[in-house]
């Protein structure tokens, strides 16, 4: 299935595989970090408790203090201090907990491990729908009103979560919920975008620089109106209107469209049906190569207008996909990416970073972005 496809792709591609990361040891210490409210972008905790001796050994009482809207507690079993508590106590004594790159790498690793182990989704991977979640939560940004974007994670609430373009994304949000419970200090909006980075890299895509700093809105007040995401039934003028609202030019529109190498459409969601490529769980430039090399005909069926490859009749393209080769300004970029996957990867990397950061009030600088080690 998907694992076999990814293994084969790793063998034939020239990009060297990164080494397997060691998974973190399971700790007995438990953390209970309270959800932070918007707009604060820092989360913290502190402990003021000290050890007491007892007849059966050392017993540590829990400490609880608020810092930046978050808190934690820890305790040890059988009269011994756990390693997690030993590691947490010195940091807590110095001040609020501020996650470092190693902490976010641990989140990355947990997501990657779950992607590998839980393969009961389309084509054997949740990766494509995770990318779609990160894309859709970011792609609502409006540069004119400065609203929308990944900050806030407003898709958690019914008005936005129920938008037609977001149909099926509950599967991705549910997939990531155990990760949120495992690392309660990370915001949903940081988690969703970091998960998108993880999925792209674990599906043999380029390394995507990323930085934290997103906070979660507490309610649906900031949910964006329906209609801000692309409609696959439209053509080039629609693409320029949707992406132009976010601040993207023609080249960036085509580069972002390359994510259609991943995943497939479903009749019970968008109404469309089928995958764009033969390897829908592997990030590549196949989407562009197929657009240029295959002959595409209208599919004869009862569903919405879509295209079908004349050869295998197993692939599909949407009207918005075909617009990329009908429009001469779009097409020149399709041709560039079809000829050179590294050119595509480089430009896709830059534009997906831009997408994931739209509208986020970062306290950090661009040079503070992190790059994570892939496990695949």
């Amino acid at each position: 299935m998907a694992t076999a496809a990814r293994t084969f792709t790793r063998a034939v591609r020239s990009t060297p595989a990164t080494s397997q990361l060691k998974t973190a040891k399971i700790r007995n210490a438990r953390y209970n970090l309270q959800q932070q409210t918007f707009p604060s972008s820092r989360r913290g905790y502190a402990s003021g408790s000290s050890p007491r001796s007892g007849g059966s050994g050392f017993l540590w009482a829990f400490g609880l203090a608020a810092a930046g809207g978050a808190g934690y507690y820890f305790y040890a079993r059988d009269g011994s201090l756990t390693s997690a508590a030993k590691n947490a106590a010195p940091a807590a004594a110095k001040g609020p907990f501020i996650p470092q790159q190693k902490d976010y790498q641990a989140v990355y690793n947990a997501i990657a491990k779950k992607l590998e182990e839980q393969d009961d989704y389309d084509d054997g991977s949740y990766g494509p729908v995770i990318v779609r979640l990160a894309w859709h939560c970011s792609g609502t940004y409006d540069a004119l009103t400065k609203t929308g974007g990944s900050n806030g994670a407003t898709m958690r609430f019914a008005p936005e979560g129920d938008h037609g373009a977001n149909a099926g994304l509950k599967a991705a949000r549910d997939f990531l919920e155990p990760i949120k419970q495992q690392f309660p200090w990370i915001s949903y909006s940081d988690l969703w975008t970091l998960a998108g980075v993880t999925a792209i890299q674990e599906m043999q895509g380029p390394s995507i620089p990323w930085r934290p700093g997103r906070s979660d809105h507490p309610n649906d007040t900031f949910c964006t109106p329906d209609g801000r995401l692309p409609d696959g039934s439209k053509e080039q003028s629609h693409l320029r209107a949707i992406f132009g609202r976010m601040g993207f030019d023609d080249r960036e529109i085509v580069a972002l469209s390359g994510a259609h190498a991943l995943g497939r459409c479903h009749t019970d969601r968008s109404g469309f049906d089928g995958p764009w490529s033969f390897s829908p769980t592997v990030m590549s430039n196949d989407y562009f190569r197929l657009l240029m090399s295959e002959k595409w005909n209208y599919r004869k069926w009862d569903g919405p207008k879509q295209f079908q490859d004349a050869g295998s009749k197993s692939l599909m393209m949407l009207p918005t996909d075909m617009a990329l080769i009908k429009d001469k300004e779009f097409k020149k970029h399709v041709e560039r990416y079809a000829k050179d996957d590294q050119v595509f990867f480089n430009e896709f990397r830059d534009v997906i970073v831009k997408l994931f950061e739209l509208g986020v009030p970062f306290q950090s600088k661009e040079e503070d972005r992190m790059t994570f080690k892939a496990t695949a």
Side-chain angles (χ1 to χ4, degrees):
M1 294 176 71
T3 301
R6 291 193 293 271
T7 302
F8 175 78
T9 302
R10 296 179 195 126
V12 299
R13 288 188 56 175
S14 60
T15 305
T18 55
S19 60
Q20 178 73 31
L21 292 177
K22 295 181 180 179
T23 55
K25 293 180 179 179
I26 299 175
R27 297 175 171 86
N28 290 329
R30 300 180 180 177
Y31 291 65
N32 182 20
L33 294 146
Q34 298 172 354
Q35 182 65 37
Q36 189 175 9
T37 58
F38 182 87
S40 174
S41 62
R42 290 183 176 269
R43 295 167 291 279
Y45 59 78
S47 173
S49 60
S50 58
R52 292 200 299 257
S53 61
S56 60
F58 291 100
L59 175 65
W60 287 73
F62 70 86
L64 177 64
Y72 87 110
Y73 71 86
F74 66 84
Y75 64 90
R77 295 179 180 176
D78 301 324
S80 63
L81 179 64
T82 64
S83 60
K86 291 177 182 177
N87 293 334
K94 294 178 182 178
F97 169 62
I98 300 176
Q100 304 300 312
Q101 179 160 352
K102 64 181 179 61
D103 300 302
Y104 291 106
Q105 182 72 61
V107 179
Y108 178 108
N109 294 347
I111 297 169
K113 185 173 186 289
K114 199 168 194 292
L115 284 170
E116 184 68 23
E117 295 177 349
Q118 190 170 333
D119 59 0
D120 57 339
Y121 198 71
D122 289 346
D123 306 299
S125 176
Y126 276 85
V129 74
I130 296 296
V131 175
R132 182 168 164 248
L133 172 65
W135 205 117
H136 280 217
C137 78
S138 305
T140 58
Y141 182 68
D142 185 323
L144 182 62
T145 62
K146 309 297 183 186
T147 58
S150 62
N151 194 55
T154 49
M155 202 191 300
R156 291 174 295 141
F157 305 110
E160 191 170 324
D162 291 343
H163 290 170
N166 292 330
L169 289 181
K170 185 178 184 298
R173 299 194 300 271
D174 289 349
F175 176 91
L176 292 172
E177 189 58 32
I179 306 296
K180 181 68 170 73
Q181 300 306 312
Q182 184 179 354
F183 302 94
W185 48 264
I186 191 170
S187 66
Y188 279 102
S189 43
D190 271 347
L191 175 62
W192 292 353
T193 50
L194 178 54
V197 168
T198 307
I200 290 168
Q201 294 190 180
E202 295 299 309
M203 291 188 290
Q204 306 304 300
S207 294
I208 309 295
W210 178 91
R211 55 178 164 159
R214 300 163 188 82
S215 299
D216 296 334
H217 288 305
N219 53 50
D220 62 6
T221 303
F222 294 93
C223 283
T224 57
D226 201 357
R228 287 194 177 184
L229 293 167
D231 181 343
S233 68
K234 307 294 184 181
E235 296 190 349
Q236 51 264 48
S237 60
H238 171 76
L239 287 175
R240 288 193 171 99
I242 291 292
F243 286 90
R245 188 203 69 234
M246 292 185 271
F248 294 115
D249 59 25
D250 285 356
R251 179 184 62 82
E252 292 171 318
I253 292 171
V254 178
L256 281 173
S257 298
H260 279 177
L262 303 171
R264 62 173 59 235
C265 289
H266 304 77
T267 55
D268 61 343
R269 298 177 188 178
S270 64
F272 301 106
D273 177 57
W276 288 269
S277 73
F278 292 110
S279 301
T281 63
V282 177
M283 187 71 182
S284 70
N285 68 337
D286 282 359
Y287 168 75
F288 300 110
R289 292 195 304 103
L290 291 165
L291 263 176
M292 295 298 301
S293 64
E294 294 293 322
K295 181 179 180 181
W296 297 95
N297 300 319
Y298 286 115
R299 178 179 175 179
K300 296 179 180 178
W301 73 317
D302 294 332
K305 176 182 174 181
Q306 70 176 64
F307 296 81
Q308 184 180 64
D309 71 301
S312 71
K313 294 181 171 57
S314 63
L315 302 179
M316 57 85 59
M317 290 288 171
L318 304 172
T320 46
D321 299 314
M322 300 305 295
L324 299 183
I325 56 175
K326 288 170 60 178
D327 185 284
K328 66 178 183 179
E329 294 301 318
F330 284 150
K331 186 176 180 179
K332 66 184 182 183
H333 299 297
V334 174
E335 291 172 337
R336 287 195 306 114
Y337 298 149
K339 291 176 182 177
D340 193 327
D341 64 343
Q342 195 57 53
V343 169
F344 165 56
F345 272 19
N346 290 341
E347 296 187 18
F348 177 80
R349 175 199 62 218
D350 293 343
V351 74
I352 203 73
V353 169
K354 177 179 176 179
L355 174 68
F356 288 171
E357 294 190 351
L358 290 175
V360 181
F362 290 111
Q363 300 299 312
S364 60
K365 300 177 181 178
E366 291 183 2
E367 53 264 35
D368 295 326
R369 289 174 180 144
M370 309 170 184
T371 300
F372 300 100
K373 296 179 181 179
T375 66

